[in-house]
Amino acid sequence: MRTLIKILICALLPLLFFSCKKKEDKATGICYCDYASGDKKQFDLRNLNRTQQVDSCNVFNKNAGPFGGVCELE
């Protein structure tokens, strides 16, 4: 019985690890900007609350407009 439990734990540990890693890969709070010149920039806004993130990314988007740029918050 103990052997079966050890096998189950060993089999389920990688699933737990990858499921947690998958959540970390999707970075919310990053403002991605693409410009007409092909340049790409990203701004890490994760230290702000969601409202501040949205407001800040909107400012980046407004500033990028004259350069043919668009910014979106993930």
Side-chain angles (χ1 to χ4, degrees):
M1 187 70 174
R2 285 184 173 176
T3 305
L4 179 62
I5 293 173
K6 288 179 184 179
I7 291 171
L8 286 174
I9 290 173
C10 290
L12 294 177
L13 265 173
L15 292 175
L16 180 64
F17 174 74
F18 287 117
S19 66
C20 291
K21 184 157 179 67
K22 188 174 185 180
K23 290 177 185 175
E24 291 173 8
D25 287 342
K26 182 170 177 149
T28 57
I30 306 290
C31 184
Y32 295 95
C33 299
D34 293 319
Y35 296 90
S37 64
D39 289 344
K40 294 184 178 192
K41 292 187 178 182
Q42 63 184 36
F43 301 94
D44 186 353
L45 306 174
R46 291 179 290 183
N47 61 327
L48 305 174
N49 66 43
R50 190 64 180 175
T51 303
Q52 292 171 324
Q53 291 173 353
V54 170
D55 291 344
S56 296
C57 196
N58 286 339
V59 170
F60 289 130
N61 188 45
K62 183 179 174 185
N63 292 338
F67 301 101
V70 176
C71 300
E72 294 180 349
L73 184 65
E74 292 283 325

